[in-house]
Amino acid sequence: MSLVSGPGRAASSALPDEIQLAIEPHVKYIQSLDSRRNELEYWLTEHLRLSGLYWGLTALHLLGRPDALSRDETIEFILSCQNENGGFGAAPGHDAHLLSTLSAVQVLATVDALDELDERGKGDKEGGGKLAVGKYIANLQNRETGTFAGDEWGEEDTRFLYASLNALSLLLLLHLVNVNKAVDYVVSCANFDGGYGVSPGAESHSGQIFACLAALNIAGRIDLVNVDKLGRWLSERQVDGGGLNGRPEKLEDVCYSWWVASSLTMIGKLHWIDGGKLTEFILKCQDTKQGGIADRPGDMVDVFHTHFGIAGLSLLGYPGLEEVDAVYCMPKKVIERVLGPNK
Amino acid sequence: MAPKAPKAPKAQPKAPDPPEEYPTISAKLQAEYLASRPYQVLKDTKGLSNLSASEKAAYANYRFLETGVWKTWGAAQQKEFLKTVETQKIPTPLPLPRDLGRDNKGREIASYTPEGFAQFRKKERQLSGLRRESARFRERREKARRKQKGRGIEDSEGEIEDERNRRKFIGVLQGKKMGIYEGDPRWDDVVPIPQDDGEGALAAIAYSDEYAEAMGYLRAVMAAKEHSPRVLDLTEHIISMNAAHYTVWLYRASTLFALEYPIDKELSWVNEVALENQKNYQIWHHRQLLIDTLYPTISSDPTAIHALETSERDFMTQMFDQDAKNYHVWSYRQYLVRKLNLFNTTELQSIEVLLRSDVRNNSAWSHRFFVVFSDPAYCTPGSAATAHDPRIPADIADREIGFAKAATFEAPQNQSPWNYIRGVLRKAGRELASLEAFAEEFVKLPSESGEGEDVRSSHALDFLADVWAEKDETAKADTALRLLGDKYDRIRRNYWEWRRGLLDAGVEGKMKGLSVEDVS
Ligand SMILES: [Zn+2]
């Protein structure tokens, strides 16, 4: 999936009240992304290819168009990114990384093809191909602190911790890691302002908060969150234009709108912000003709913000969209199929 | 049929006069073709029946020549025939001009001018000479390499330089520049591995030859697990085109460590790259790996540590000049503070400089909290950022509250120092009410008749609402929260209404309120 931005650009001027989500153009936009191989940027964003597929595919599912990308080709591509160690790289021939491994698992779960791992996956398949992926992830846990590295080189980030718990839970393999230690680590990242950062002591950041909350949610330990204090900080992220920012005094952005809104959802406080105004902000970031959503009005569209914009609208109950799961950022239907209705 | 005895032809037929200049090489070749068949032309223009007997005889002999039939005759007859041809001055017919094809720009070579064609031919000859020479060079090197089992072949600088120029010249002559690595003799032993991406592979080459070529060589050296100085050049080149390529950084790091490359040299190179790639985060992990490697070698040398501290801080200042809220830089800074134990006044002062230029820089506030309240000199080890730490000295807490207070006067609507104040009170185990008078400097509630209202900071109003709730002054707290929801922060009306609901709930509300103990 191409991460190339454009060609469209979100409208910049005020839009009429009755502005709608441009579903068909968005579908076409996402479908067209992989045909842009002759552009340099397509290759410069190769390190995000697999995640790009997750973003595009999930957006299509939420738009109610799950068949807009070929299922067979999707599975083929995912499997072609797997390394011998069981993990997935961003594209064929790339080193395995936790983030692309999560995207691979999410995509396979979405198209109901996790079993393909057992049949055609790589890695040490004693016990099955899913287990091979699970073992790759489990090996990245720092058994002392409980957190996770993104790869064999040891970069640590609460996003990696979330990615691990997310993927392992979808594979039904959470028992491979020390979940309690992971929970302890997340708790140690809580800040004085109620938020969470990339590591203990690091500034609160909406994206990291999403990762920490979702990890606690998967671990069944959302009770460890100071909900009121965090909800207060999160709701302060809404700016007058209706969009949400990632940190105080930063510009609003569609992707942060997702991270903040989904976090508020996880702690049951989404109603603390003005959902109507947020909806309006996201809709203003669309290119209604050529499809795609940008980070803010007037900027170039890209698949990343298209995905998070649509997911945000789904969270806000925008009519006609499939319901999104706030923790997994995948269609709720898929999560229920994989984990059962009372996950 | 035997040819007649040769007779000197009476009238020599003439081919049409060649023009002085031909517009194209194909026109010239066509004219030469016709000029080599004068009797054919004569027959075609006059008609066979109008030819004289000798012309007819010459025409017949020309046909024998053209068709090659004469070669099937007996030796004596052939000899006789050739003699006749000579006396009749029948030229040897040239073959039909062949298709000259297209040049590398897709142009029909037939459309060249005769001079252009001559130059083209000359270039082709030069090219094949150079290619032969280049092939010999490669063969020689390959043999040497095999002898040395692939390691350290010696070549004179001059010889390599000659070959490099030769390839440049080949590139110029063929009108298509040779790739950087293809043109560099030092990379001859590497066979690049092209992108394996199914049907898109061809299109892949089209986007940027330079990037595609370099990636092809990277795949090849990675497959061979080569860690050599030239790999550093290659990865530097790729990073200059695409700093976000994760695998390239990892391979560079493993090469650096394998070569025991000087870390300080690498650090200063990384500085350049980071300054040019503000949003890149791979660089910061790379930097951490470098420091992790460097640190054990200098940890017992205070001067070296101090020098590193200074140079790192200088570099981060440069980064902050471009974006003082760069999350990667701040995360790295926390790492460095822990690693080099930088809980010191220099660190605090450098944060103050940043806050002086932008008091709304939340990242700087957050870092200050980290430095002050994680200092192993007086903090309880492992005390959470959200927890009361009884070991915090009162003067430190006072200092921090004073610092934040000053900032709120500078920008009352700046939420960072207000959050900071709450954080400090919590750490020091003090009540919010201890700062009631301070917060009231920003807020005058309206009188019962609704007059005299003056709110200079919604954060102060929020703070006071908590203070008053803490003190059970419910009516005042209610007024404050109502003002926030109705007037000063309408977008979060539901939140303020929820807070008001807590007031109504009384004791229960207090239990859930914002000022209660953190769960963690
Ligand atoms: Zn964004």
Side-chain angles (χ1 to χ4, degrees):
Chain A
M1 185 62 57
S2 168
L3 279 298
V4 182
S5 57
R9 191 176 272 280
S12 55
S13 52
L15 290 150
D17 293 341
E18 68 276 13
I19 176 170
Q20 305 252 320
L21 181 65
I23 292 183
E24 269 316 304
H26 292 323
V27 171
K28 287 219 179 70
Y29 168 72
I30 295 166
Q31 284 176 319
S32 74
L33 290 169
D34 222 35
S35 62
R36 299 178 62 182
R37 292 159 179 263
N38 56 346
E39 293 179 36
L40 177 57
E41 212 186 326
Y42 179 93
W43 299 99
L44 293 187
T45 51
E46 201 183 13
H47 60 286
L48 291 171
R49 187 82 67 241
L50 214 166
S51 297
L53 179 55
Y54 155 72
W55 294 323
L57 182 79
T58 306
L60 289 171
H61 276 251
L62 296 176
L63 288 168
R65 296 291 303 277
D67 300 325
L69 289 182
S70 149
R71 181 175 182 272
D72 288 348
E73 279 175 33
T74 299
I75 296 170
E76 283 312 309
F77 176 75
I78 295 288
L79 292 178
S80 74
C81 296
Q82 194 173 22
N83 282 223
E84 284 306 329
N85 62 8
F88 289 79
H94 282 229
D95 289 344
H97 192 279
L98 196 46
L99 293 181
S100 32
T101 302
L102 168 64
S103 294
V105 171
Q106 286 178 305
V107 168
L108 290 177
T110 301
V111 299
D112 197 9
L114 282 171
D115 288 341
E116 296 275 344
L117 287 173
D118 289 332
E119 278 155 43
R120 298 164 61 204
K122 292 194 187 119
D124 167 19
K125 281 171 72 178
E126 207 188 307
K130 281 182 217 136
L131 191 61
V133 181
K135 281 188 204 153
Y136 164 78
I137 298 172
N139 273 331
L140 293 170
Q141 188 174 31
N142 181 331
R143 298 283 161 163
E144 229 166 87
T145 64
T147 193
F148 285 79
D151 57 59
E152 60 192 305
W153 287 86
E155 183 189 11
E156 292 179 350
D157 183 325
T158 39
R159 284 180 310 149
F160 303 153
L161 189 153
Y162 160 67
S164 302
L165 298 197
N166 180 334
L168 288 172
S169 67
L170 291 175
L171 294 166
L172 309 178
L173 292 171
L174 260 184
H175 58 272
L176 294 184
V177 294
N178 190 333
V179 175
N180 290 338
K181 278 227 153 157
V183 166
D184 290 346
Y185 186 83
V186 172
V187 168
S188 77
C189 293
N191 282 321
F192 65 92
D193 55 15
Y196 296 80
V198 64
S199 54
E203 184 186 5
S204 297
H205 181 291
S206 304
Q208 307 293 342
I209 292 173
F210 163 80
C212 289
L213 280 189
L216 290 176
N217 204 300
I218 291 167
R221 294 310 308 273
I222 205 84
D223 62 292
L224 293 174
V225 178
N226 185 333
V227 167
D228 296 345
K229 196 166 168 184
L230 176 59
R232 168 204 155 97
W233 189 90
L234 287 169
S235 63
E236 268 176 337
R237 305 281 59 77
Q238 190 162 35
V239 302
D240 292 340
L244 303 166
N245 61 20
R247 289 181 275 161
E249 301 293 333
K250 298 280 284 185
L251 288 177
E252 68 273 36
D253 182 326
V254 162
C255 68
Y256 288 110
S257 300
W258 159 263
W259 286 316
V260 175
S262 59
S263 298
L264 283 166
T265 304
M266 284 187 256
I267 57 173
K269 302 294 185 195
L270 185 59
H271 60 287
W272 281 3
I273 58 169
D274 190 328
K277 279 196 151 183
L278 177 55
T279 303
E280 221 174 278
F281 169 74
I282 298 173
L283 291 176
K284 272 187 201 164
C285 296
Q286 323 174 77
D287 178 333
T288 50
K289 293 218 174 67
Q290 290 182 270
I293 298 178
D295 57 353
R296 62 186 69 92
D299 287 353
M300 293 276 248
V301 303
D302 61 64
V303 65
F304 176 81
H305 290 96
T306 304
H307 160 74
F308 283 117
I310 291 167
L313 291 174
S314 162
L315 205 61
L316 292 160
Y318 191 89
L321 292 181
E322 280 289 328
E323 226 184 311
V324 69
D325 183 281
V327 173
Y328 289 88
C329 197
M330 290 162 64
K332 221 168 202 157
K333 267 189 195 163
V334 172
I335 299 302
E336 282 170 7
R337 188 185 64 226
V338 178
L339 301 180
N342 308 310
K343 52 117 181 169
Chain B
M1 183 175 34
K4 293 201 168 160
K7 250 196 232 162
K10 279 188 182 135
Q12 270 294 329
K14 264 195 171 174
D17 273 340
E20 294 283 286
E21 271 174 36
Y22 295 96
T24 63
I25 182 65
S26 94
K28 182 165 184 253
L29 291 175
Q30 185 62 27
E32 285 169 0
Y33 171 75
L34 291 176
S36 69
R37 296 169 169 69
Y39 291 99
Q40 176 75 48
V41 175
L42 196 65
K43 180 223 148 198
D44 288 349
T45 41
K46 287 172 86 176
L48 189 60
S49 52
N50 295 325
L51 299 184
S52 69
S54 64
E55 283 170 344
K56 272 184 187 155
Y59 174 71
N61 283 334
Y62 147 72
R63 287 298 298 165
F64 295 139
L65 208 53
E66 175 90 288
T67 55
V69 170
W70 66 278
K71 285 180 195 158
T72 61
W73 301 337
Q77 209 179 347
Q78 283 195 17
K79 204 173 164 197
E80 182 68 11
F81 170 70
L82 289 176
K83 221 192 253 166
T84 314
V85 163
E86 205 178 325
T87 27
Q88 290 183 326
K89 294 206 170 98
I90 301 171
T92 310
L94 293 172
L96 197 69
R98 66 187 163 88
D99 181 10
L100 295 176
R102 291 170 184 275
D103 65 16
N104 56 19
K105 292 190 184 85
R107 186 176 155 198
E108 293 265 14
I109 291 168
S111 70
Y112 278 30
T113 62
E115 300 76 47
F117 181 71
Q119 270 168 18
F120 172 79
R121 289 290 297 275
K122 194 176 148 205
K123 239 162 66 173
E124 288 290 292
R125 274 195 302 277
Q126 281 179 323
L127 251 178
S128 61
L130 285 166
R131 286 191 180 122
R132 263 197 311 277
E133 197 53 47
S134 182
R136 269 199 290 276
F137 173 87
R138 283 170 210 255
E139 244 166 67
R140 204 162 57 235
R141 295 254 300 172
E142 180 57 35
K143 249 184 228 154
R145 210 175 289 123
R146 245 177 280 138
K147 244 191 222 160
Q148 309 273 334
K149 290 185 185 112
R151 300 240 160 252
I153 12 156
E154 296 295 321
D155 260 303
S156 78
E157 248 333 291
E159 221 183 316
I160 290 194
E161 196 50 41
D162 285 352
E163 174 63 11
R164 199 176 285 133
N165 286 333
R166 197 176 291 130
R167 291 183 198 180
K168 245 184 238 161
F169 201 42
I170 290 175
V172 172
L173 285 176
Q174 60 191 7
K176 187 181 166 288
K177 242 172 82 184
M178 227 182 239
I180 292 173
Y181 299 93
E182 185 191 4
D184 187 342
R186 288 177 205 283
W187 287 93
D188 282 353
D189 57 312
V190 177
V191 181
I193 303 176
Q195 173 84 22
D196 174 19
D197 200 35
E199 2 92 63
L202 270 180
I205 313 294
Y207 65 90
S208 157
D209 291 341
E210 188 181 351
Y211 185 69
E213 193 206 14
M215 286 304 294
Y217 279 84
L218 179 74
R219 285 183 208 103
V221 293
M222 284 176 67
K225 298 193 166 56
E226 174 184 326
H227 297 290
S228 63
R230 70 177 178 185
V231 169
L232 296 182
D233 296 339
L234 174 64
T235 51
E236 174 173 346
H237 179 213
I238 295 173
I239 286 166
S240 76
M241 292 184 278
N242 183 13
H245 200 303
Y246 164 82
T247 300
V248 183
W249 282 102
L250 294 187
Y251 200 68
R252 181 176 178 87
S254 62
T255 305
L256 288 169
F257 300 143
L259 294 173
E260 296 183 26
Y261 188 81
I263 302 285
D264 52 342
K265 232 173 119 184
E266 178 70 359
L267 276 175
S268 51
W269 174 74
V270 169
N271 288 358
E272 307 284 308
V273 182
L275 287 164
E276 281 161 24
N277 295 276
Q278 289 286 319
K279 295 221 158 160
N280 182 286
Y281 71 89
Q282 282 88 355
I283 296 173
W284 297 95
H285 180 235
H286 186 70
R287 201 177 184 90
Q288 280 198 21
L289 289 177
L290 296 177
I291 300 287
D292 283 342
T293 310
L294 176 67
Y295 183 72
T297 66
I298 61 169
S299 60
S300 54
D301 178 356
T303 325
I305 294 274
H306 186 73
L308 180 64
E309 173 188 343
T310 309
S311 61
E312 287 299 280
R313 202 175 271 131
D314 288 349
F315 164 64
M316 285 185 280
T317 304
Q318 272 180 285
M319 287 298 293
F320 288 145
D321 283 345
Q322 297 187 30
D323 176 9
K325 297 174 184 175
N326 187 320
Y327 199 81
H328 310 307
V329 187
W330 283 108
S331 308
Y332 173 74
R333 189 158 184 141
Q334 273 132 30
Y335 154 84
L336 204 68
V337 166
R338 281 200 188 94
K339 187 98 197 168
L340 307 183
N341 191 27
L342 304 182
F343 299 94
N344 55 35
T345 39
T346 323
E347 184 66 8
L348 283 184
Q349 277 161 1
S350 82
I351 300 165
E352 278 162 34
V353 169
L354 283 169
L355 284 176
R356 226 172 287 138
S357 74
D358 177 14
V359 75
R360 293 173 187 272
N361 184 344
N362 192 64
S363 307
W365 282 103
S366 183
H367 187 67
R368 183 176 179 98
F369 195 92
F370 164 73
V371 173
V372 173
F373 296 107
S374 314
D375 189 340
Y378 51 79
C379 296
T380 305
S383 170
T386 50
H388 170 215
D389 182 356
R391 285 182 57 195
I392 298 294
D395 60 326
I396 298 269
D398 290 342
R399 182 191 73 195
E400 292 309 301
I401 288 169
F403 183 80
K405 270 183 177 176
T408 59
F409 288 119
E410 194 185 331
Q413 199 46 36
N414 173 14
Q415 59 190 298
S416 300
W418 289 100
N419 282 337
Y420 193 82
I421 285 173
R422 286 175 185 262
V424 176
L425 292 175
R426 171 98 189 97
K427 265 281 165 204
R430 299 182 189 178
E431 295 198 323
L432 294 184
S434 64
L435 292 180
E436 181 179 6
F438 152 71
E440 278 180 332
E441 297 199 40
F442 299 90
V443 172
K444 280 208 174 55
L445 291 186
S447 67
E448 268 175 41
S449 57
E451 276 160 43
E453 176 187 319
D454 183 17
V455 175
R456 285 162 51 219
S457 165
S458 68
H459 304 299
L461 197 54
D462 174 9
F463 189 88
L464 286 169
D466 278 333
V467 169
W468 293 327
E470 208 174 83
K471 291 167 70 184
D472 275 335
E473 295 177 26
T474 315
K476 276 168 88 178
D478 190 72
T479 307
L481 293 172
R482 203 193 297 263
L483 279 173
L484 283 162
D486 291 350
K487 195 165 174 184
Y488 295 105
D489 190 18
R490 279 204 297 238
I491 203 164
R492 294 198 299 151
R493 190 158 208 282
N494 288 342
Y495 169 70
W496 302 115
E497 283 304 307
W498 171 79
R499 289 267 297 269
R500 285 185 62 218
L502 293 183
L503 294 174
D504 297 337
V507 179
E508 195 200 336
K510 234 177 143 180
M511 294 288 290
K512 283 191 194 158
L514 293 170
S515 53
V516 298
E517 295 291 296
D518 282 323
V519 185
S520 52

